[in-house]
Amino acid sequence: MKDQIAILVSLQQIEIESSSVNAHLCSISKQLDLLENSRNELDQRITDEAAKIEESRKLYRSHESDIKQNQVMIKRSQERLNSIKNNREYQALLKEIEELKRTNAATEDLMIDCLNQIDDAEKRTAAMQEALQLVQNDILREQQVVGAETEIAGKRLKELDRERLKMSCKIDADVLKLFQKVQSQQVRGNAVVPVQDAVCHGCYVNIPPQMYNELQRCDKLRMCPNCQRIIYWKQN
Ligand SMILES: [Zn+2]
């Protein structure tokens, strides 16, 4: 039974290492995912800014063409002024010219707004492109790390699988079945734990003295009455 427990402990060690290798792979690939998300987000924001810039440029051109049209109308009206004899008509036309000039001045302000918006968007885009470059460098670096570590981890996992298979062949089917059952019931911690000085190292509760004595015989599998883990005696 001592051998069987030793095999169980090794088997458990193999499983702990396998899951830690897998957890490590998972965490580095998560890191890469996070970086890729940041990159996609930046890409999207740069695209959005480009659309805003295009929109502002369109608006700017439309204001520009409005001003040109008004200038043609102002010029025509000014030419007409010379031929008008009637004072009332003259004043009305002057008022019309003033109105067009005011409209153009307001439109010029709108054009300045457009230019400011384009300028701001271009500044934001430049900052984001700089950030994007950094993220892309990080992604390249992380991809290399993930690639290298995946290879190392893959090799180790294969070794562990081979060891697990070797151990599984040596173990009694009943012992393995019990081990797997206890394992499936444990939310955290190991399924096989040592008992040292009568203390279970799964739950850190003392086991009864009678049981502790029996445990030292190492003649059969025993369970901790408190946490239901498989226990074995560990000498000090
Ligand atoms: Zn226990």
Side-chain angles (χ1 to χ4, degrees):
M1 191 45 69
K2 218 170 174 178
D3 290 351
Q4 291 291 302
I5 287 174
I7 296 169
L8 270 191
V9 172
S10 306
L11 202 56
Q12 178 167 268
Q13 213 44 53
I14 290 167
E15 292 190 358
I16 290 169
E17 193 183 336
S18 295
S19 53
S20 112
V21 169
N22 280 320
H24 175 64
L25 280 182
C26 195
S27 89
I28 55 173
S29 74
K30 251 185 209 155
Q31 178 60 23
L32 188 57
D33 284 349
L34 284 178
L35 286 168
E36 281 169 345
N37 285 347
S38 309
R39 181 195 55 198
N40 296 344
E41 209 176 285
L42 278 169
D43 268 340
Q44 186 55 53
R45 279 167 59 197
I46 289 171
T47 306
D48 292 347
E49 290 294 349
K52 277 187 213 160
I53 291 172
E54 191 44 44
E55 193 75 14
S56 296
R57 284 195 178 133
K58 240 189 234 165
L59 196 56
Y60 181 90
R61 286 194 295 270
S62 130
H63 289 324
E64 202 174 36
S65 116
D66 287 349
I67 286 181
K68 272 184 193 149
Q69 275 177 10
N70 281 354
Q71 278 168 342
V72 171
M73 283 163 74
I74 290 168
K75 205 175 165 214
R76 265 191 221 138
S77 300
Q78 278 169 337
E79 282 164 4
R80 268 178 59 211
L81 276 181
N82 300 327
S83 55
I84 289 177
K85 304 280 181 278
N86 181 309
N87 189 41
R88 207 162 52 96
E89 271 179 43
Y90 187 87
Q91 291 302 329
L93 198 53
L94 263 188
K95 208 177 152 194
E96 209 181 289
I97 290 170
E98 278 317 302
E99 193 58 43
L100 286 168
K101 281 183 176 169
R102 257 201 304 278
T103 305
N104 270 1
T107 308
E108 273 166 12
D109 286 344
L110 293 177
M111 285 170 80
I112 289 169
D113 285 347
C114 286
L115 290 180
N116 285 336
Q117 272 161 16
I118 290 169
D119 198 38
D120 288 348
E122 278 173 346
K123 276 182 192 147
R124 285 194 298 269
T125 302
M128 286 192 290
Q129 263 157 351
E130 225 169 277
L132 185 64
Q133 193 55 53
L134 292 178
V135 172
Q136 265 161 348
N137 291 345
D138 285 348
I139 287 176
L140 283 180
R141 223 181 0 250
E142 196 62 24
Q143 277 170 339
Q144 282 172 349
V145 170
V146 170
E149 303 232 348
T150 304
E151 206 185 318
I152 294 169
K155 276 184 193 156
R156 184 66 190 136
L157 285 174
K158 265 187 198 156
E159 281 170 11
L160 289 169
D161 265 347
R162 274 198 295 273
E163 284 178 43
R164 184 189 286 129
L165 197 66
K166 231 161 55 188
M167 296 290 162
S168 305
C169 293
K170 288 188 201 164
I171 205 159
D172 287 350
D174 289 348
V175 174
L176 186 62
K177 218 170 140 187
L178 179 68
F179 170 67
Q180 285 165 342
K181 189 179 157 213
V182 174
Q183 234 179 2
S184 68
Q185 286 163 348
Q186 293 302 324
V187 179
R188 64 182 63 162
N190 300 338
V192 189
V193 292
V195 170
Q196 220 170 352
D197 287 332
V199 174
C200 164
H201 277 235
C203 62
Y204 294 92
V205 168
N206 271 72
I207 61 166
Q210 170 77 18
M211 193 175 194
Y212 187 53
N213 286 334
E214 287 169 4
L215 190 67
Q216 293 178 33
R217 288 187 217 140
C218 305
D219 55 348
K220 62 174 209 167
L221 281 190
R222 290 184 171 81
M223 321 280 282
C224 168
N226 183 56
C227 67
Q228 312 304 323
R229 288 179 169 95
I230 300 168
I231 48 177
Y232 63 94
W233 178 53
K234 197 176 175 196
Q235 220 166 345
N236 281 330

